[in-house]
Amino acid sequence: MPAISPDKPYRVGRSRTGLGLFATKPIKKGAKIVRYFGPLLDCRKKKHDAIENKYLFELNNRWTIDGSVRKNIARYINHACKPNAESDVSARKRKVVIRAIKNIEPGEEINYDYGTDYFKAYLKPIGCKCSACEKKRKKKRAEARAEKLRLKAKAEKKALKKAEKQAAKAREELEQKQKQKLKQAAKQRLNGARANGKLLNGHGGKAAAGQLIAAKSEIFAEPASTQGGEASASA
C-alpha cells in the first residue's frame, strides 16, 4: 500500500469490495481530491493495445491511461452508482482529476461512476457492491421475505378455512347419523307397539283388543244378572 501524506484529505482502507479510498478531512463539493495518472497508452501501437487490466482509463479513441501503477492512489477509488465524486477528464491535456460532487465527511468512502462499459464488462457479471445497489438488494430481499410471509399466511388461512369446512361437514354428517339413529329407534318402538297389539287377537291391534276385553266383561256379567232374576222370581 503506497504511503500517503498526512496533508492529503484521504487514506486507503478496507471497503466492502476490498480496498477503498476514505476521506480523513471534510471535502467540499467541487474540490479536487486526487489525480488519476499512469503511463499513457497509444492504441495505435500493438504492444499498448494488447495491454489489459481493470485500471485502464480511456481518454479518447487513441489515448488511455494505465492506472495500475501503485503510486496512482486514485486507483483505490471504487465505483458507485450514486457517487459523491466524478472523473473530470481533459482529453486535450491527457489528464484526469477526481472531484467531489457532494460534501464528503471524514470517514466516508470516496467513489465515482466508472461508466457503462466498465460496469457491463467487470461489475455486472459479479454484481455491483456499491451502497446504492446493496440497498436495492436489501430492499428486494426484504420484499421477498415479506412476500414469502404473505404467501405463507395466505396458505395457512386457506388450510384453516379448509379444516373448518371439513370439521363443519363432519359435524353435519354426525348430526345426520344421530338423527337417522333416532328415527330408526322411534320406528322400532312404533313397530314394537303394533306387534304387541297383534299378539292379543292375531290382528286388528289395540282397538280389537279393547273390543275383546269389553266382550269378555259382558260374558262374565250375564250369569250374575240371571241369578238375580231367578232370585226375584223365587221371592
Side-chain angles (χ1 to χ4, degrees), residues 43-89:
C43 68
R44 294 179 182 178
K45 297 179 180 180
K46 288 185 178 180
K47 64 176 183 178
H48 285 182
D49 194 41
I51 295 173
E52 289 187 11
N53 63 64
K54 62 181 180 179
Y55 299 109
L56 298 178
F57 198 114
E58 188 176 308
L59 297 172
N60 54 31
N61 293 333
R62 180 178 178 182
W63 297 104
T64 298
I65 296 174
D66 182 1
S68 61
V69 294
R70 288 180 61 80
K71 289 184 179 180
N72 177 31
I73 304 300
R75 78 176 193 159
Y76 294 103
I77 301 177
N78 289 311
H79 164 86
C81 294
K82 291 184 179 180
N84 53 21
E86 67 179 359
S87 56
D88 185 1
V89 181

Side-chain angles (χ1 to χ4, degrees), residues 143-199:
E143 288 174 349
R145 285 194 298 270
E147 179 65 11
K148 189 176 180 180
L149 290 173
R150 188 188 70 80
L151 292 174
K152 184 180 178 182
K154 186 178 179 182
E156 287 176 350
K157 187 177 179 181
K158 187 177 180 180
L160 180 61
K161 192 174 180 181
K162 185 178 180 180
E164 288 175 348
K165 190 175 180 181
Q166 288 175 345
K169 187 178 180 181
R171 284 195 301 271
E172 187 178 349
E173 288 176 353
L174 182 61
E175 288 173 0
Q176 290 291 338
K177 287 180 180 178
Q178 288 175 344
K179 286 180 181 179
Q180 190 68 22
K181 284 181 180 180
L182 291 172
K183 219 171 176 184
Q184 288 176 355
K187 189 174 180 181
Q188 287 173 357
R189 286 196 298 272
L190 182 60
N191 289 338
R194 287 178 178 174
N196 290 336
K198 287 181 179 181
L199 287 174

